[in-house]
Amino acid sequence: MFVSSYRVTKFALQNFWRNFWLSLITLSMLLLTLFTINLLLVLNVVTDRAIALVEDRVELSVYFYDSTQETTLSSAVAYLRGLSQVRDVEIISADEAYQQFIQRHTDDAQIMASLQELGENPFGPTLVIKADQVGDFEMIIDALDNPQFRDSIREKDFSDYQSIVERIQSITDRIQVFVIILALVFLFIACLIVFNTVRIGIFIHRDEIAIMRLVGANNWFIKAPFLLEMVLVSFIAVGITIAMIYPALILIEPQVDVYFGSQSAGLFEYFTQNGLLIFGGEFLALVIITFVSTGMAMKKYLKV
Amino acid sequence: MIRFKNVSKLYPPNVVGLDCVSLHVQPGEFVSIVGKSGTGKSTLAKLLFAEERPTRGVIEIGGWDITHIHDRDIPLLRRQIGVVFQDFKLLQKKTVYENVAFALQVAGVFPRRIREVVPQVLDIVNLGNKLARYPKQLSGGEQQRVAIARALVHSPKMLIADEPTGNLDTLNSREIMDLLKKINEFGTTIVLVTHDREMVNRLRRRVITLEDGKIISDVEEGRYKL
Ligand SMILES: Nc1ncnc2c1ncn2[C@@H]1O[C@H](COP(=O)(O)OP(=O)(O)O)[C@@H](O)[C@H]1O
Ligand SMILES: [Mg+2]
């Protein structure tokens, strides 16, 4: 068994070198496929982080009437802080709300004029609530229907981040579909090329194979070099991908991070933490796919 | 050793290769199969080493029914049968030694055993002094002897030779025939397919004559008729 493995390995390496250009094309195609798959992963990570970041900023503003008592307000704050879903409650006093409004609309003469006309501060105090998860807001809104202070609430405003999340999602979904299709096309071409490489390999070695059969070579001895060659090519493809992806991430990461403000997109981190899973999985997938193509080519042309 | 029971071989669509052939060969026999071209001699040989399957009938080799032999069992059969052809089927890029060793390598034999056996069989065919030559550097007769050495490397019980002298001149042919006789004397059953009248007549062994896929004569110590 050991002896045979050595010989099979030797034959596989011979196949690889004798077919060098063909092997190179197979390798390139596998590389392209891996590239698109990893691009998909990068895209996924970035999208997830972006959505998390946006969701982090989702807040519920609760506007109280300007007549609201201090005690009613603080009991509402205490009540909300007591809810497990609530991450943070920020209190904006009537004055602060007024100042913020002026600041925001200082360029809008019409609004400023109508504010002037009112003469007094039309704003009441506001509570800005952040939840642990976006889904929790529904529950918090229900909780605000508390008889203690519900009559003091003028308006509840759920900042419209949901639509931003949906927009990000729909854009990345579309990019993803495109990249997935690209990956599938590359994969399909890779399969065809593997099939063809094996077919030509069988053709080149037809004399040897005929003689092997004649002298009673084990069937797997005839097949194994072709399979092993594909394992080798898959291994090299994944190896090159690993060798290229980490430096690439180091280069790209700072540029992506810009969009995430102080936070990092965590690409490099993601690929280091899941490296074994990602590249082990990709290697395994390539081996399986190339084995299927090789098997089909051998079935058709080897007739062992 | 060999038993054919009403064996027919039809090639698609309906070319008759062999037509209801029955025969029985004892272990240690030297049988010549003769006949005109296209009468099914090679078909008979191919059925023996399972290159083709019979359309009808039963084939037994050494008590093993190979009529419906499974693909995965064919290597096992081939290691018990040596085969040589008119065109030698040697690997041009391998030396004499490597060509013979190849047959053992692909069967997973250990290197030490290969180093032991290969020179032995090459001595039997008188090529012990040309191990490092390439097929191109050998005469036709010598190349055929390499092929015979390769066929002998698994110590087969039977050797099938399909027109082994077809590409050789008389002198080389005689050498090959003498070698086959020598191998037969060691106890290996030999099936020789040929249409070389002189060779068969010199042999004075059993001769089976085929015509249109049928056996038309089967005589001990026969001569090539027609
Ligand atoms: N693979 C094949 N497919 C179709 N017909 C074949 C095949 N091999 C042989 N034949 C036909 O079978 C007949 C016997 O062929 P063969 O056994 O090669 O004859 P021989 O060796 O006596 O010259 C011939 O008519 C030949 O054309
Ligand atoms: Mg013939």
Side-chain angles (χ1 to χ4, degrees):
Chain A
M1 195 66 196
F2 171 76
V3 181
S4 299
S5 310
Y6 166 73
R7 284 174 196 143
V8 165
T9 311
K10 208 173 106 188
F11 282 6
L13 286 171
Q14 274 174 4
N15 275 5
F16 184 84
W17 288 118
R18 273 196 220 165
N19 270 341
F20 182 73
W21 292 108
L22 219 57
S23 309
L24 207 64
I25 292 169
T26 314
L27 184 63
S28 316
M29 213 52 230
L30 293 185
L31 272 174
L32 268 179
T33 311
L34 282 181
F35 174 78
T36 48
I37 289 169
N38 287 309
L39 186 67
L40 208 62
L41 285 178
V42 167
L43 209 67
N44 254 327
V45 174
V46 173
T47 310
D48 282 356
R49 294 290 153 112
I51 289 174
L53 201 69
V54 170
E55 284 187 344
D56 204 42
R57 296 192 180 159
V58 177
E59 50 194 30
L60 173 66
S61 301
V62 183
Y63 302 101
F64 286 81
Y65 291 111
D66 50 358
S67 58
T68 307
Q69 297 293 310
E70 195 65 38
T71 49
T72 314
L73 194 67
S74 46
S75 76
V77 171
Y79 171 71
L80 284 167
R81 286 198 171 135
L83 293 173
S84 63
Q85 292 90 347
V86 172
R87 182 151 56 90
D88 188 29
V89 181
E90 193 191 344
I91 309 159
I92 298 170
S93 69
D95 283 343
E96 281 167 345
Y98 185 63
Q99 294 305 326
Q100 277 180 13
F101 186 83
I102 289 177
Q103 238 170 36
R104 241 181 307 171
H105 298 94
T106 185
D107 295 332
D108 194 330
Q110 210 177 344
I111 288 180
M112 292 310 284
S114 47
L115 199 62
Q116 210 88 55
E117 219 160 282
L118 269 170
E120 57 173 29
N121 179 3
F123 297 101
T126 309
L127 295 184
V128 178
I129 305 163
K130 285 184 176 163
D132 283 330
Q133 281 162 22
V134 182
D136 289 338
F137 279 108
E138 217 169 317
M139 155 81 217
I140 294 170
I141 287 170
D142 282 347
L144 283 170
D145 203 20
N146 185 316
Q148 262 190 293
F149 47 77
R150 86 174 152 215
D151 296 329
S152 306
I153 295 174
R154 181 168 53 90
E155 203 186 328
K156 284 170 268 187
D157 179 19
F158 191 34
S159 60
D160 201 15
Y161 283 111
Q162 198 57 41
S163 71
I164 298 177
V165 171
E166 273 161 19
R167 257 205 346 259
I168 295 174
Q169 199 85 65
S170 88
I171 291 169
T172 53
D173 277 357
R174 250 177 289 164
I175 298 176
Q176 264 183 20
V177 168
F178 175 72
V179 179
I180 287 173
I181 289 172
L182 204 65
L184 286 177
V185 168
F186 284 163
L187 206 62
F188 180 69
I189 296 173
C191 284
L192 287 183
I193 288 179
V194 168
F195 183 88
N196 204 42
T197 306
V198 174
R199 187 177 70 88
I200 291 174
I202 291 169
F203 180 76
I204 289 175
H205 294 100
R206 63 193 182 286
D207 292 341
E208 241 160 312
I209 291 169
I211 289 169
M212 279 193 203
R213 286 230 197 85
L214 211 61
V215 298
N218 296 315
N219 283 340
W220 76 266
F221 197 100
I222 299 173
K223 289 177 176 179
F226 292 103
L227 294 170
L228 199 68
E229 189 193 346
M230 287 309 150
V231 175
L232 187 75
V233 175
S234 303
F235 188 78
I236 295 173
V238 173
I240 292 176
T241 305
I242 292 173
M244 289 188 11
I245 207 158
Y246 286 106
L249 285 176
I250 291 174
L251 280 176
I252 293 168
E253 182 105 57
Q255 290 170 42
V256 178
D257 286 354
V258 168
Y259 297 97
F260 287 85
S262 56
Q263 273 172 294
S264 155
L267 277 174
F268 191 79
E269 191 194 335
Y270 175 79
F271 273 90
T272 13
Q273 274 175 7
N274 303 300
L276 197 67
L277 197 72
I278 295 171
F279 297 111
E282 285 174 1
F283 175 63
L284 220 76
L286 281 195
V287 168
I288 290 171
I289 286 159
T290 51
F291 266 35
V292 170
S293 319
T294 306
M296 274 164 34
M298 289 194 303
K299 204 177 168 90
K300 191 156 186 299
Y301 299 104
L302 207 49
K303 296 181 193 97
V304 170
Chain B
M1 191 73 219
I2 304 169
R3 193 183 288 278
F4 272 44
K5 283 183 212 151
N6 305 321
V7 174
S8 294
K9 173 69 189 174
L10 296 174
Y11 291 105
N14 53 7
V15 180
V16 179
L18 271 191
D19 186 8
C20 203
V21 166
S22 296
L23 64 88
H24 187 188
V25 176
Q26 299 287 346
E29 267 193 87
F30 192 136
V31 189
S32 301
I33 313 281
V34 302
K36 281 183 252 162
S37 155
T39 53
K41 306 184 296 295
S42 294
T43 301
L44 194 152
K46 284 176 186 166
L47 289 168
L48 285 174
F49 60 94
E51 176 76 16
E52 295 285 356
R53 311 279 165 91
T55 313
R56 274 187 297 276
V58 177
I59 301 176
E60 276 176 29
I61 307 277
W64 180 8
D65 186 344
I66 61 156
T67 315
H68 304 291
I69 187 169
H70 200 286
D71 278 348
R72 64 165 175 264
D73 294 329
I74 289 178
L76 208 64
L77 175 73
R78 300 251 170 107
R79 281 178 224 166
Q80 297 172 43
I81 301 175
V83 195
V84 287
F85 298 94
Q86 182 170 358
D87 59 357
F88 322 134
K89 298 198 193 295
L90 298 176
L91 290 167
Q92 298 301 319
K93 285 187 187 153
K94 287 187 189 288
T95 63
V96 168
Y97 179 92
E98 287 164 348
N99 262 287
V100 178
F102 188 68
L104 292 169
Q105 283 171 352
V106 298
V109 176
F110 278 95
R112 201 193 304 150
R113 176 105 185 104
I114 295 178
R115 283 196 294 271
E116 202 176 279
V117 172
V118 175
Q120 278 175 12
V121 289
L122 281 168
D123 273 341
I124 294 176
V125 301
N126 258 331
L127 283 172
N129 55 344
K130 290 180 177 167
L131 302 184
R133 298 264 191 113
Y134 286 89
K136 273 206 190 79
Q137 303 168 322
L138 298 175
S139 74
E142 286 170 329
Q143 289 188 50
Q144 191 60 289
R145 281 190 274 148
V146 177
I148 292 173
R150 185 181 61 195
L152 292 179
V153 94
H154 287 299
S155 312
K157 298 186 190 105
M158 178 162 87
L159 184 69
I160 301 165
D162 190 349
E163 315 256 11
T165 59
N167 277 352
L168 305 178
D169 56 34
T170 314
L171 209 65
N172 274 313
S173 297
R174 283 191 187 165
E175 254 177 49
I176 295 297
M177 293 304 292
D178 289 341
L179 183 56
L180 291 179
K181 271 196 272 187
K182 187 165 123 193
I183 293 163
N184 179 242
E185 277 157 21
F186 286 136
T188 305
T189 309
I190 299 204
V191 177
L192 169 70
V193 170
T194 186
H195 57 236
D196 191 326
R197 180 188 308 264
E198 192 220 321
M199 296 302 145
V200 174
N201 292 344
R202 272 166 45 93
L203 260 176
R204 301 178 185 288
R205 298 294 181 92
R206 181 176 171 191
V207 177
I208 294 173
T209 311
L210 287 180
E211 197 173 304
D212 295 333
K214 289 192 188 70
I215 295 181
I216 54 162
S217 91
D218 181 351
V219 282
E220 296 298 327
E221 212 174 298
R223 295 179 67 81
Y224 197 120
K225 295 181 217 138
L226 307 172

